[in-house]
Structure formats: structure tokens, C-alpha cells
């Protein structure tokens, strides 16, 4: 009898694994097949949709798409609402109501509600749960429910290169300049100047960049080191796989190299016949600048290519 129970238990576990695999495989297939692109628009007929733009499946509420124009290489996450007009079936005229520039990214579960014109500039990134609307409820009449009163609308403009953090809200009439950062959960109204960071509800400027003085107040963290030109995917993968101890060794080597550089330069200025034994020993200990067994990372420092997986 225990043997039969074990057999039934194994069969049940096998069925569950197979069912689990089938569900995940089917869902991945639906995500691929249900994505909206210029080549596979499905039921949606946007006023324009650029090449390489993709709306992930499942989409959120989308209507008035004839007055929605999406630029090139946009990424629209799952369950994102894009609407033009207060309700489906309205004739909104000849001009677009919602315009996304090239390279715009809108995170999942976000809403862009365009009852009045909304423009989002090129390369603007929105985190998940962002809410952008050109219409808001009014409460002028104290004797009527707020939801039954005629709403107020005003155009919204978001400049190029902005970043809207998770849960940010942009209200009617807002105008954001270039490269504006909106903190998570901030509620933005009114005008925001270029190169500003805003936070809070209502949002206010907490940091701004000026050509004469730079960021004020100054940034508290150093700027990230960009990926060097010419780095291959294999080298980047090797760097990602380095352990903490290996990274510590690399940093120590960088410090040592920085300390040795002045002495090496001094030794290079001395004629070979005049160089002392210490300088000769120092010169012999330095690796050749063009050594292919090492790769440059950042503006300074060398990483052993073998540790980076390139040898």
C-alpha cells in the first residue's frame, strides 16, 4: 500500500510540473503574439506608430487611438492605459490629442489620459504606476457631487529626456522642461524649469543644474562610470561575475598603479646609462602599456583579462 501511495504522489507531482510548464509556455507565447507593433496592430488603429515601437501584452484600456501618435522605438509596458477624449467614439477633430516622441518608455500599470492635448518629448522615461492627465475634477458647486460637475482640462507638456519616478502624478496644465527628474510619488502642477529635480506633493524644486555653478545643492554621490568604448559583451559578462575579493584586488592594483606612475615617469626621463638599479628594477616591473592580457575599465584602472573571461 505505501508503494501505491508513492506512485500516485509521483504521478500527481509530474502532472503539476507539466501543467505548470504548459501554462508558462502558453503565457510567453501570448505575450509575444499579443504585443502591438506597427506590423501587428491587432484591433488598434493608432494615428501613427513608429518602427520598433511595442506595446506589451496585455494592454490596458486604449481608445481614441486615431488621435494617438506614437514615435519610433517606444516601449509601452503591460496594462498601460492610453486614451484620447473623455470616452470612446468621439470625434476629436483633425489634430492629435496624445503625442509620444521617439524613445519614450512608459512603465507598467501607468495611465496617460488625454482629454486635452498631452505631449511627451523624446527619450522620456516613466516608471511603473505613473499617472499623466490633462483633466481633473472640479468642485465649484458645493451642492453637487464632485463626480457630477464638469471637469477642468488643460494641456500637458513634458519635455525631452525627463525621468518620472514610480507613482508620479502629472496634473492638467503642467509643463516640464528638458531633462527634468520627478521623484517617486511626486504630484506635479505648473511649470518646472529645465534640468530640475522636483519632489513632494505638491512637487517643488529640490535641486537644479546651472551652467555657472553646476548642481545646487551639490550631488551627494559620484557620477557613475560609463562603460568604456570597445567593451565586448564577453568582457562585461566577465566583470559582472567578479567576486568582491577580486574587485578589491583590482581596486588595490589601481591604487598601486596610481602611486607608481609618477616614479615610472621620472625613470623614463633618465638616460638608460644614468639610471640606477632601483629605477631599472622599477621599469622592469611595469607591464607594457599595450599588453593584450589586460583591458581598460573606466577612465583609470586595469582588470585582468583572464578574470574578466576574455582569455
Amino acid at each position: 500500500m505505501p508503494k501505491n501511495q508513492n506512485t500516485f504522489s509521483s504521478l500527481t507531482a509530474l502532472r503539476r510540473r507539466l501543467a505548470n510548464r504548459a501554462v508558462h509556455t502558453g503565457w510567453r507565447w501570448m505575450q509575444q503574439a499579443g504585443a502591438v507593433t506597427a506590423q501587428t496592430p491587432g484591433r488598434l488603429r493608432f494615428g501613427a506608430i513608429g518602427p520598433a515601437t511595442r506595446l506589451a501584452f496585455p494592454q490596458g484600456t486604449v481608445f481614441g487611438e486615431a488621435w494617438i501618435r506614437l514615435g519610433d522605438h517606444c516601449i509601452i509596458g503591460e496594462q498601460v492605459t492610453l486614451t484620447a477624449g473623455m470616452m470612446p467614439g468621439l470625434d476629436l477633430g483633425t489634430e492629435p490629442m496624445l503625442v509620444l516622441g521617439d524613445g519614450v518608455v512608459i512603465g507598467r500599470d501607468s495611465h496617460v489620459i488625454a482629454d486635452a492635448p498631452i505631449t511627451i518629448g523624446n527619450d522620456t522615461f516613466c516608471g511603473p504606476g505613473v499617472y499623466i492627465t490633462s483633466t481633473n475634477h472640479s468642485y465649484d458647486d458645493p451642492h453637487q457631487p464632485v463626480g457630477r460637475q464638469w471637469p477642468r482640462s488643460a494641456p500637458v507638456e513634458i519635455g525631452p529626456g525627463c525621468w518620472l519616478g514610480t507613482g508620479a502624478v502629472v496634473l492638467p496644465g503642467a509643463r516640464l522642461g528638458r531633462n527634468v527628474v520627478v521623484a517617486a510619488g511626486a504630484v506635479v502642477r505648473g511649470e518646472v524649469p529645465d534640468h530640475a529635480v522636483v519632489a513632494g506633493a505638491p512637487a517643488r524644486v529640490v535641486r537644479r543644474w546651472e551652467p555657472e555653478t553646476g548642481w545646487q545643492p551639490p550631488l551627494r554621490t559620484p557620477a557613475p562610470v560609463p562603460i568604456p568604448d570597445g567593451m565586448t559583451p564577453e568582457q562585461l559578462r566577465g566583470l559582472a561575475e567578479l567576486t568582491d575579493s577580486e574587485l578589491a584586488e583590482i581596486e588595490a592594483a589601481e591604487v598601486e598603479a596610481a602611486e607608481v606612475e609618477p616614479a615610472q615617469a621620472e625613470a623614463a626621463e633618465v638616460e638608460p646609462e644614468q639610471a640606477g638599479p632601483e629605477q631599472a628594477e622599477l621599469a622592469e616591473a611595469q607591464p607594457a602599456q599595450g599588453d593584450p592580457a589586460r583591458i581598460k575599465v573606466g577612465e583609470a584602472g586595469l582588470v585582468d583579462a583572464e578574470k574578466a573571461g576574455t582569455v
Side-chain angles (χ1 to χ4, degrees), residues 128-146:
V130 169
Y131 194 94
I132 303 170
T133 181
S134 57
T135 298
N136 206 353
H137 291 286
S138 61
Y139 49 89
D140 302 64
D141 189 346
H143 306 293
Q144 291 290 332
V146 172

Side-chain angles (χ1 to χ4, degrees), residues 224-239:
V225 178
I227 297 174
D229 295 335
M231 287 286 285
T232 65
E234 291 76 14
Q235 291 171 341
L236 292 174
R237 192 177 303 113
L239 290 175

Side-chain angles (χ1 to χ4, degrees), residues 29-65:
W29 179 86
M30 286 192 293
Q31 286 178 313
Q32 293 295 325
V36 171
T37 65
Q39 293 74 31
T40 58
R43 64 174 181 84
L44 301 176
R45 295 294 181 267
F46 289 103
I49 179 169
T53 288
R54 184 183 182 91
L55 285 75
F57 178 85
Q59 292 88 37
T61 300
V62 179
F63 62 77
E65 60 268 25

